[in-house]
Every structure is written in C-alpha cells, then in structure tokens.
Amino acid sequence: MTLPSLFVAHGSPMLALEDHEYVRFLQDISQQFRTPKAIVLFSAHWDTPDQSMTVDETHSTMHDFYGFPEEMYKLNYPAAGDLRLNAVIDGIFKQKNLHYVPIEGRGLDHGAWVILQKMYPEANIPVIELSVDSKRSPKEQYDIGSMLAELRKEDVLVIASGGLVHNLRKLNDSPQPDAWAVEFDNWIVEQLEQWDLRTLFEYEHKAPHAEQAVPRYAVEHFIPLFYAMGAADDDRTAKRLFQDYQYGNLSLNCWMFGS
C-alpha cells in the first residue's frame, strides 16, 4: 500500500510545548499508516526562488523565532538526513529539468521539527527538507510536488507544512472561530474533495475572504498545500483528518492525499 502525502498545519511555534486536541491528533496520526523509511518535507519557513534541498547526514535544530519562553530554545530534534534519498531526488529533479540548490548545514526550521517532534518524537526517521517558492504559480508548485509522487511507493512520506488560514494581524482572543476563516476553509474543502485544480489554482480571485485568509505577506504558508497535492497526483483523493482554530482564525488542519 502506497503512503499518502500530507498537508499539516504547524500553527504557532508554541505547538511544541502545548497539549491540546490538535497536539494529541499529531501524536496519533502515525497510527493511520505504516512507519515511513524517510520523510521529505516542504516547509513554509523556507521560501526561496530556487528549489532548495537539505543534504546533510544529521540535522541541527533551528530556533527561527523570537520572543518565546526560554524552554523553546532548548528543544532539539536530532533527525538524520538521507544522502541516498538525496541522490534519488537529485536524479528526479534533473530528469524533470528542475534547477535546484543543495544546501549543507542549514538545519530543520520550526515548520519542520515542531510537527515532527509530535508525529515521530524519537527522531529516528531520516528527514530531507525542501523549500517552497511563493513566487511560482500554483500549477508550478503542484508540478514540483508531483515529481516526488513516485517516492511514496518507496515508503517515503511526503509532508507539506504550512497553514491554510494564516494572518497574524487578524488573531484575537475569541473563543469561537471567525466566520470568515471558517467560510474560507469550507471553500477549500469543497475544491479538494472534488480535486478541482482549475478553481483551486485561482483561489485568490474565487475563494471567499481570500485576502484575509491568505494575505500577501503570508502566501508561503498556504502554498505548501499545492506541493502536498501534487505529490498525490497519481491518486487524486483528499481526506480532511482534522480541523480546528486557535486565536480566532489560525487554522489547525491536516489533509491526507492519496493512500
């Protein structure tokens, strides 16, 4: 059975220390499919014009945030890299004529390790992190993800980490989710369940409240969705596994594509 690809919201960095329903969901999600041999992860916190890829035997842990409790800066996720898988991806990108840049010594940013430390706390699965490019079109982002679809047949789990509604300027202390955020997420649900790429690729113009949900300064958090979908282009099925909100509208959701 082929592994799925996942879109996983990483929320606030504080997710690393929190204990709530979404955290417990992430801790249990690995029960839904077999343990992968490796993980390839697209992170919203690595936005580059050239496709980039970590090429390390071991990863350091980036604390790429500020103003958080001191305990956050002591957390470590010492996952290994996978140079053999790096070589496989290198071959795929070259075959598909995708220029990419290998990066040594970068480490895993919090878009990667915060969710991985919940999903695979023992850090015993090799990880390769890939960048996203918010300047590319949704179709280009989808197509890059699709280049890696074959890896899922080799027990490689493809994850894209971001956030469908991610507007830090709109956060509030409301106990109920803002109606505009829910309406936007529900529109996404409809398009994903129908795998309506034409409509979804035009989300900026067609989705309700798109400017609030995906502000210009935070597009990189939404686009990992397209990379995750592309990685399941050979099996165009979508299933929402979790949906909740923090701070009024920060969307905590997880989608599984393919099977």
Side-chain angles (χ1 to χ4, degrees):
M1 184 176 180
T2 303
L3 286 176
S5 65
L6 301 174
F7 173 85
V8 182
H10 59 248
S12 160
M14 283 299 293
L15 189 73
L17 298 179
E18 293 172 341
D19 180 18
H20 48 67
E21 188 177 359
Y22 185 54
V23 169
R24 291 187 287 275
F25 162 78
L26 292 177
Q27 290 170 335
D28 294 339
I29 188 176
S30 62
Q31 306 298 318
Q32 300 200 31
F33 39 80
R34 65 180 176 279
T35 302
K37 294 179 180 177
I39 296 169
V40 172
L41 190 147
F42 291 93
S43 173
H45 287 277
W46 195 7
D47 187 2
T48 63
D50 292 318
Q51 180 62 59
S52 299
M53 174 171 66
T54 58
V55 286
D56 294 292
E57 291 187 3
T58 58
H59 295 292
S60 60
T61 302
M62 297 174 65
H63 300 96
D64 49 334
F65 41 76
Y66 60 91
F68 287 85
E70 184 177 351
E71 185 179 358
M72 287 288 296
Y73 302 93
K74 297 178 181 179
L75 295 175
N76 185 38
Y77 191 78
D82 189 332
L83 298 182
R84 182 202 64 80
L85 183 54
N86 280 131
V88 172
I89 297 173
D90 171 89
I92 293 172
F93 285 166
K94 287 179 178 176
Q95 181 184 26
K96 301 293 185 179
N97 295 315
L98 177 66
H99 169 71
Y100 87 96
V101 180
I103 302 293
E104 294 184 43
R106 178 181 183 271
L108 299 177
D109 60 55
H110 79 270
W113 67 261
V114 165
I115 61 172
L116 290 178
Q117 61 128 212
K118 302 301 182 185
M119 297 172 66
Y120 299 102
E122 296 180 0
N124 58 354
I125 299 174
V127 178
I128 292 175
E129 184 169 336
L130 295 173
S131 66
V132 299
D133 182 1
S134 59
K135 299 296 192 296
R136 293 182 189 264
S137 69
K139 183 181 186 306
E140 290 176 306
Q141 294 154 357
Y142 182 97
D143 287 345
I144 291 173
S146 71
M147 295 178 189
L148 305 182
E150 62 189 78
L151 296 181
R152 295 171 32 242
K153 299 175 184 178
E154 305 299 325
D155 287 344
V156 175
L157 180 64
V158 179
I159 300 175
S161 171
L164 298 187
V165 180
H166 189 92
N167 189 338
L168 302 185
R169 297 173 187 171
K170 293 289 185 179
L171 301 185
N172 57 72
D173 57 3
S174 172
Q176 299 297 323
D178 294 338
W180 62 266
V182 175
E183 190 174 348
F184 177 84
D185 268 328
N186 287 343
W187 184 89
I188 295 294
V189 170
E190 183 178 351
Q191 313 318 313
L192 292 183
E193 290 183 344
Q194 297 179 35
W195 209 271
D196 186 347
L197 296 179
R198 177 176 296 182
T199 301
L200 191 59
F201 287 169
E202 298 180 17
Y203 75 92
E204 290 182 280
H205 309 292
K206 295 189 174 182
H209 314 292
E211 291 185 5
Q212 289 177 283
V214 189
R216 292 287 183 180
Y217 71 86
V219 173
E220 75 283 348
H221 274 74
F222 181 79
I223 62 171
L225 176 69
F226 299 129
Y227 291 88
M229 291 182 71
D233 184 63
D234 56 342
D235 182 0
R236 296 183 169 194
T237 57
K239 181 180 180 181
R240 186 167 65 173
L241 302 181
F242 190 93
Q243 179 67 64
D244 202 356
Y245 298 88
Q246 284 183 309
Y247 313 114
N249 52 65
L250 185 65
S251 189
L252 299 178
N253 41 34
C254 180
W255 280 89
M256 180 170 68
F257 304 115
S259 59

